[in-house]
């Protein structure tokens, strides 16, 4: 080291310059970390409660987050909450792809596939129609229809991520998550009783439960509550509904592309969102058998943590006062969509369409 280098290394001004450079590099992390850590803490607490005492984790996270709504008005936490509600959410949705393989879908046959496709399309269309009849905006009908038809709260979060962010966007998302989670929990208890009353076999019961219950966890719980065969079929059918998230998001992107372009600028609206491309890529990679079971399990857990963290952030951003303004109409809308899907799948089973 030369004398000049040694003098520069011991110069106090050099250390001051380094102190100025380091915070600049860490500024994005420092800005996001406080709010993000709060959302992660809520996710940890609610997951512990759900695992030890039962109940829907996402609903707990949402309610816990809403009790901390005041943090959304405090500048230090706001950036992290926004990061969790958008970026972490999309990571969680993308990682859902490790749960699906093309082989699983092919094993079901054409009947369940036709049942699921028709159920998703008709339920979303019904949601848009009923929303108009009830005086609600179109976005609410499409969002609730998609969440009921596909995979509950996860679908609501994924679809809302590509919808325009108007003043009622977050309120609609929260209402949808609360409603669809509550209905899914009720269905997990009631639908196995319907299976017993109707005398459905294991395969028919699996198609019924997998084709009607909203959230994956509740489908698994209800299916294996009846038998192992019913649980296997219901899980595969449910994963097929999860796979319908890809075309649904693409259609929503097309429907709302003009509004998103006006909102964010033409250069910022991609043809396909990155998280959707990642979802499809993971499905293909998983279908090729390149993902070891341990990694699949780890990615599944990480996806769940991301979604719980994101829903905690959405809860923080929403107040009880905003929800009270919505009234009873969204509840009627989601109940009607749920009953419609129930009757439609039963009709497909009884007329033999689901067994083709």
């Amino acid at each position: 080291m030369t004398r000049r280098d040694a003098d520069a290394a011991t110069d106090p001004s050099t250390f001051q310059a380094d102190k100025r450079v380091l915070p600049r590099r860490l500024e994005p992390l420092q800005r996001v970390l406080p709010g993000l850590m709060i959302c992660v803490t809520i996710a940890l607490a609610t997951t512990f409660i759900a695992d030890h005492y039962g109940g829907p984790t996402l609903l707990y996270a949402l309610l816990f987050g809403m009790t901390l709504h005041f943090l959304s008005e405090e500048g230090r936490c706001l950036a992290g909450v926004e990061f969790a509600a958008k970026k972490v959410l999309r990571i969680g949705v993308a990682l859902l792809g490790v749960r699906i393989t093309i082989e699983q879908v092919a094993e079901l046959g054409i009947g369940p596939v036709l049942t699921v496709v028709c159920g998703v399309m008709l339920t979303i269309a019904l949601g848009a129609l009923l929303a108009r009849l009830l005086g609600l905006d179109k976005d609410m009908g499409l969002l609730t229809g998609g969440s009921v038809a596909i995979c509950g709260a996860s679908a609501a979060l994924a679809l809302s991520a590509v919808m325009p962010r108007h003043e009622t966007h977050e309120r609609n998302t929260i209402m949808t998550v609360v409603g669809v989670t509550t209905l899914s929990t009720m269905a997990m208890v009631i639908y196995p009783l319907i299976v017993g009353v109707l005398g459905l076999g294991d395969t028919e019961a699996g198609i019924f439960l997998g084709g009607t219950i909203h959230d994956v966890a509740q489908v698994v719980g209800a299916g294996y509550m009846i038998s192992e065969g019913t649980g296997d079929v219901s899980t595969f059918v449910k994963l097929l509904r999860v796979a319908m998230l890809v075309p649904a998001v693409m259609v929503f992107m097309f429907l709302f592309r003009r509004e998103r372009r006006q909102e964010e600028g033409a250069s910022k609206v991609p043809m396909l969102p990155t998280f959707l491309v990642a979802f499809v890529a993971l499905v293909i990679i998983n279908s090729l058998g390149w993902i070891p079971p341990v990694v699949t399990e780890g990615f599944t857990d990480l996806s769940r943590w991301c979604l719980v963290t994101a829903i905690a952030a959405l809860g923080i951003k929403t107040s009880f006062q905003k929800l009270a303004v919505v009234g009873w109409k969204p509840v009627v809308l989601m109940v009607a969509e749920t009953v419609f899907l129930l009757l439609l799948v039963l009709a497909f089973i009884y007329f033999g369409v689901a067994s083709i």
Side-chain angles (χ1 to χ4, degrees):
M1 178 183 292
T2 64
R3 176 66 178 271
R4 184 175 181 181
D5 293 336
D7 292 341
T10 56
D11 187 358
S13 63
T14 303
F15 290 105
Q16 291 176 359
D18 289 341
K19 286 183 179 180
R20 287 194 300 269
V21 171
L22 186 60
R24 287 197 192 103
R25 291 176 180 173
L26 296 178
E27 185 177 352
L29 179 62
Q30 290 175 335
R31 195 162 50 88
V32 165
L33 195 59
L36 180 60
M37 289 306 298
I38 288 173
C39 297
V40 170
T41 302
I42 294 173
L44 289 169
T46 53
T47 300
F48 177 85
I49 293 172
D51 289 346
H52 287 77
Y53 300 101
T57 307
L58 288 176
L59 186 58
Y60 289 159
L62 179 62
L63 296 176
F64 272 53
M66 290 173 69
T67 63
L68 300 176
H69 172 65
F70 65 91
L71 293 175
S72 66
E73 301 172 357
E74 197 269 315
R76 188 179 180 190
C77 297
L78 186 57
V81 171
E82 289 286 347
F83 179 83
K86 295 180 181 179
K87 302 296 184 182
V88 175
L89 163 63
R90 297 186 179 197
I91 293 172
V93 173
L95 291 175
L96 287 174
V98 300
R99 305 170 70 165
I100 306 170
T101 64
I102 297 173
E103 182 181 0
Q104 289 174 340
V105 176
E107 286 178 354
L108 293 174
I110 190 62
V113 173
L114 186 61
T115 301
V116 167
V117 171
C118 290
V120 170
M121 292 174 59
L122 294 176
T123 304
I124 294 176
L126 177 73
L129 177 62
L130 288 180
R132 185 174 181 179
L133 294 176
L134 291 170
L136 299 170
D137 57 66
K138 177 186 66 175
D139 293 14
M140 187 67 176
L142 292 172
L143 184 61
T144 56
S147 63
V148 167
I150 302 173
C151 54
S154 301
L157 296 175
L159 294 173
S160 68
V162 297
M163 296 175 74
R165 298 184 175 277
H166 48 70
E167 58 182 5
T168 61
H169 173 78
E170 290 171 359
R171 186 183 69 191
N172 290 347
T173 303
I174 293 297
M175 279 297 300
T176 302
V177 169
V178 172
V180 81
T181 304
T182 303
L183 289 171
S184 184
T185 304
M186 294 172 62
M188 183 180 65
V189 177
I190 297 172
Y191 285 14
L193 300 177
I194 296 176
V195 168
V197 171
L198 297 177
L200 300 177
D202 284 352
T203 301
E204 292 176 335
I207 294 172
F208 169 66
L209 297 176
T212 54
I213 298 178
H214 310 321
D215 287 315
V216 176
Q218 279 82 350
V219 169
V220 173
Y224 286 104
M225 190 186 302
I226 296 175
S227 70
E228 185 173 344
T230 299
D232 291 342
V233 175
S234 63
T235 301
F236 287 154
V237 173
K238 183 58 188 178
L239 291 178
L240 176 58
R241 287 171 67 193
V242 175
M244 289 295 294
L245 190 62
V246 176
V249 170
M250 293 177 66
V251 171
F252 274 50
M253 284 282 293
F254 176 77
L255 289 175
F256 296 107
R257 184 167 178 78
R258 179 178 296 179
E259 295 177 45
R260 289 294 301 274
R261 185 185 291 117
Q262 293 174 351
E263 178 185 296
E264 301 180 12
S267 61
K268 296 183 180 180
V269 182
M271 286 298 295
L272 287 176
T274 305
F275 75 89
L276 182 60
V277 175
F279 179 96
V280 174
L282 286 174
V283 171
I284 295 173
I285 294 172
N286 194 33
S287 300
L288 295 172
W290 294 350
I291 304 179
V294 176
V295 177
T296 299
E297 185 177 348
F299 277 8
T300 300
D301 290 339
L302 179 59
S303 173
R304 182 168 65 95
W305 281 108
C306 288
L307 292 177
V308 176
T309 302
I311 200 65
L314 287 174
I316 291 174
K317 294 175 66 177
T318 305
S319 68
F320 286 104
Q321 291 178 340
K322 291 181 180 179
L323 291 181
V325 173
V326 179
W328 54 270
K329 291 183 179 180
V331 177
V332 173
L333 176 62
M334 282 182 277
V335 170
E337 292 164 347
T338 300
V339 173
F340 172 79
L341 183 61
L342 166 69
L343 297 176
L344 181 67
V345 173
L346 281 177
F348 272 59
I349 291 173
Y350 272 95
F351 286 103
V353 178
S355 303
I356 297 176

